[in-house]
Structures are given as structure tokens and as C-alpha cells.
């Protein structure tokens, strides 16, 4: 575990970078693991996001919601191939030799099932169920109507349930459900 | 599993123990500081190269051995020359006597003579989130320009007005999309992003298209502004090559001129003009 650090003079008053890190890192790693189904990649993306946050910390801490910034940056790193590679180069050596238990079978199954979903469905599921954002907050962040978010959530959940059922039976995901939902949601998005 | 309860699944997913031991805030700080030091070292090294090379040039011009004759200047034509060393960034191939590069493609980036004199070449590898792709990712919805087909080759150049990492800089990236169609798609995506983007992450910023069609096959000048700061992005395409140049608006650099210089460099590299 990283050692505790005394607050520094250049920490903005009342909001130390360490506190921000500790308050967000686990939930963010969990969210990125659900988003990527790759624990090391999730760690790298999260660590890279915090690395980018540090030089901006004095400005970032004045934002209404610094956690939203770091969540968006981490998700963007995860969804860009070259940014993922850069994050891995920078942080892979930091992976601890002795890990905690890691994701159990149920978490692995859910992450792998999520990985079969279209990116936008996976994204809203993760934002809603793991980041605990409201429909309105997701709609504002993704710049779509609340109805679209509900539609993506509905389709995402249906596809996820299908993927989990078929994974349990040992057969591939039922593509028909996935396709129908993709078509329905595409019509709503300009 | 008779019926999948998604809510319950996610609740269990969240309620388990930590997935891993995080590297910690100190590691984030160290990596960030290391990147900053690398930038500073590159700037300092560039300054040393400029100083040493300028001294060599000055020494060569000093009359020696009692003779008063100064060796002739290699290029008497054209505008008054800037110091030789600053005309040739280290990443550029040295030209042969017939003006052709000795090997490989000509570096299609801006050269020292293309930027205001107060800027000095700093290096050919730029770290950081300066590119338009990163700015676009802060929009809602994010405009993921990185999904446009990956370029095959890229070059970078940084010029800085000062020696500290905080000094204003001109950053440039040139990418080779091989095909003009792909490069055109990329420029279209940038233009669309500038028209549609509403930034909701971080401090609010807006995009504005300031100029278009002034150089190369396509050219755009964009202004990304908010919270009292503005960045100018100049995007130019020549055939399959696209460059983006970023610098602070406060440094009063003419975007049209620098875009035209960039287009000239792209033309030379693409050999299509």
C-alpha cells in the first residue's frame, strides 16, 4: 500500500490530492475493470488519469466535480488505443507483486459479459450501475436525451442478461437481441 | 440462471473487496514530475546545442592567421539569414549539395525559419494532452477522433519561447494517412467536432472556426477558448498528410502564415504540389 503523505504547502486548502486519490481510486478501478474486462489495463488507465490530474490539481480542485473530470479522462484513455499503450508503458511496472484477491469469478463473468456489448451500452451501464450517476447526469455527460440513455440502458441490460445466460450455458451470446437493440438505439441518436 | 437480476449483479460487483492495491498518489506525482523533468531536460539540451553551435558559427566567422578575408556566406540571396543552427532542427535530414535529403523523407514539420524568431526548436517528441484529439474527448458527447483510421507515420516538433516547461510553445504533429480520402475524413471530423462540441468536462470551453481554405488542400484555424485562455489550432491537409499546430493565442502568432508555411513543408514531403 502506498505510504501516507503529509499535506503539502501547494495542496489547495481543504482538498489534498491524496484525499482525492484515496476517495476515488477504488471505485474508478472497479469502473474501468467493468469497462475493459482487463484488470491491469484498468489500473494503468486510472493511474494515468491521476498522473494527468496532478499537474492540473490546483485548477482541478476548483471544479464543481473533479471526480467527473478524472472519470472522463480515465474512460477516454481506455477507449483510445494509443493512449492505452502509453498508459501501459508508464505504469505497468507499478503493478504490485502481491495482489489482493483480485476479481472473483462472478466479477470476471460480469466484466467479460459487459465486454461483448457495444461501447455506448457498456458505457451507460457502467456509469449508471457503478459510477452511480443518475439518468439525467449521464444524459448531460453524453449529450443525449434522457430517453436515449434509458433506451441504451434497456438495451444494454437485455444484451448483458443474454450474454450472461448464454455464457452460463457455454454458448456464445445471442446476437439477435443485440442487433435489434442496436438498430433501435441508432434511430434515436442523430 | 433463470432470470438475470442486473441490479443485484452490479451491487455484488461493487460490494466485493478492492480489486487491487493501487500504486498510490505518490506514484502519480512521481510519474508526472518525471515527465516534467524530461521536458525541461529536452529544453535545456536544445539550449546547449544552440549555444555551442552558435559559438562554432561565430568562431568560424572570426578572421584568423592575420588574414582579413572572411569566408563567403553560403546563401547570399533571400531574406537576411537567421543563424545557421536555428535553421536546421536536429530531426531534419541534412541536405546534399543538390538540395535533396540524404536519406528518408524530408521532415514535413515546420523548421526553425518558419516560426517567430523568439521560438527555439525544442525536440521532436511531445508528451502531454495538447492534441486536438484530447480536447475533443472532453466534449459531450466525446468526439473520438482517434477512431478515425490510425495514421501510418507521424512526426512531431516543439518550439518554445523560453526555457521553462511553462513558457509558451508551438506544438506540431504531422501524420501520414497514406490516402487523401482518409486524411480528408479526419479533417472533416475535426471540423464537425468544432461545430458540435460543447465541453462539459473541466472548465467550460468553446470552439470556433476562425478561418478556412487558406493553404494546402484544406486548412482550418480553430480557437479553443474559455476561462480567459485561448488556444489556436491550425489544421492543414496536403494529400494524405495532415498537420495540427497548437499554440496559445496570447502569443500573437499569425495562424494564416504559419499554416501556409506548414502547407509548404507538407507539399515538399508529399511531392504532390
Amino acid at each position: 500500500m502506498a505510504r501516507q503523505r503529509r499535506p503539502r504547502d501547494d495542496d489547495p486548502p481543504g482538498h489534498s490530492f491524496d484525499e482525492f486519490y484515496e476517495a476515488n481510486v477504488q471505485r474508478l478501478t472497479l469502473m474501468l475493470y467493468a469497462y475493459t474486462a482487463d484488470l491491469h489495463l484498468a489500473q494503468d488507465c486510472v493511474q494515468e488519469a491521476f498522473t494527468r490530474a496532478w499537474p492540473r490539481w490546483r485548477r482541478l480542485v476548483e471544479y464543481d466535480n473533479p471526480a467527473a473530470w478524472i472519470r472522463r479522462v480515465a474512460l477516454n484513455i481506455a477507449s483510445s488505443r494509443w493512449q492505452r499503450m502509453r498508459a501501459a508503458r508508464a505504469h505497468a511496472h507499478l503493478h504490485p507483486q502481491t495482489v489482493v484477491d483480485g476479481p472473483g469469478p462472478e466479477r470476471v463473468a460480469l466484466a467479460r459479459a459487459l465486454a461483448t456489448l457495444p461501447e455506448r451500452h457498456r458505457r451507460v451501464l457502467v456509469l449508471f450501475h457503478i459510477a452511480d450517476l443518475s439518468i439525467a447526469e449521464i444524459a448531460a455527460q453524453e449529450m443525449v436525451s434522457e430517453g436515449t440513455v434509458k433506451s441504451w440502458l434497456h438495451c444494454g441490460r437485455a444484451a448483458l442478461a443474454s450474454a450472461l445466460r448464454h455464457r452460463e450455458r457455454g454458448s456464445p451470446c445471442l446476437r439477435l437481441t443485440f442487433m435489434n437493440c442496436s438498430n433501435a438505439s441508432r434511430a434515436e441518436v442523430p | 440462471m433463470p432470470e438475470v437480476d442486473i441490479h443485484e449483479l452490479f451491487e455484488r460487483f461493487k460490494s466485493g473487496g478492492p480489486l487491487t492495491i493501487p500504486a498510490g498518489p505518490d506514484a502519480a506525482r512521481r510519474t508526472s514530475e518525471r515527465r516534467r523533468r524530461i521536458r525541461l531536460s529536452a529544453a535545456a539540451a536544445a539550449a546547449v546545442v544552440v549555444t555551442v553551435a552558435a559559438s562554432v558559427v561565430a568562431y568560424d566567422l572570426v578572421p584568423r592567421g592575420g588574414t582579413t578575408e572572411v569566408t563567403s556566406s553560403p546563401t547570399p540571396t533571400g531574406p537576411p539569414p537567421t543563424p545557421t543552427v536555428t535553421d536546421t532542427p536536429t530531426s531534419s535530414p541534412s541536405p546534399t549539395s543538390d538540395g535533396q535529403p540524404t536519406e528518408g523523407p524530408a521532415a514535413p514539420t515546420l523548421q526553425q525559419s518558419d516560426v517567430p524568431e523568439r521560438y527555439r526548436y525544442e525536440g521532436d517528441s511531445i508528451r502531454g494532452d495538447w492534441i486536438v484529439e484530447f480536447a475533443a474527448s472532453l466534449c459531450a458527447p466525446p468526439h473520438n477522433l482517434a477512431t478515425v483510421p490510425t495514421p501510418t507515420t507521424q512526426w512531431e516538433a516543439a518550439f518554445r519561447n523560453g526555457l521553462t516547461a511553462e513558457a509558451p510553445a508551438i506544438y506540431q504533429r504531422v501524420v501520414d494517412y497514406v490516402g487523401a480520402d482518409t486524411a480528408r475524413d479526419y479533417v472533416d471530423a475535426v471540423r464537425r467536432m468544432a461545430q458540435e462540441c460543447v465541453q462539459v468536462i473541466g472548465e467550460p470551453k468553446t470552439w470556433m472556426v476562425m478561418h478556412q481554405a487558406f493553404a494546402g488542400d484544406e486548412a482550418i484555424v480553430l480557437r479553443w477558448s474559455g476561462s480567459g485562455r485561448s488556444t489556436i489550432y491550425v489544421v492543414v491537409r496536403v494529400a494524405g498528410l495532415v498537420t495540427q499546430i497548437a499554440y496559445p493565442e496570447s502569443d500573437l502568432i499569425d495562424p494564416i502564415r504559419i499554416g501556409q508555411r506548414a502547407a509548404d513543408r507538407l507539399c515538399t514531403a508529399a511531392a504532390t504540389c
Side-chain angles (χ1 to χ4, degrees), chain A residues 143, chain B residues 139-141 143 191-198:
Chain A
M143 197 70 177
Chain B
C139 306
H143 282 254
R191 190 182 291 113
R192 200 163 47 245
M193 180 279 300
Q195 287 160 351
E196 296 173 355
C197 172
V198 176

Side-chain angles (χ1 to χ4, degrees), chain A residues 78-95:
Chain A
S79 56
S80 159
R81 189 174 60 181
W82 74 267
Q83 291 200 62
R84 282 199 304 268
M85 287 167 56
R86 183 187 173 199
R89 274 202 307 272
H91 308 292
H93 70 285
L94 298 171
H95 296 165

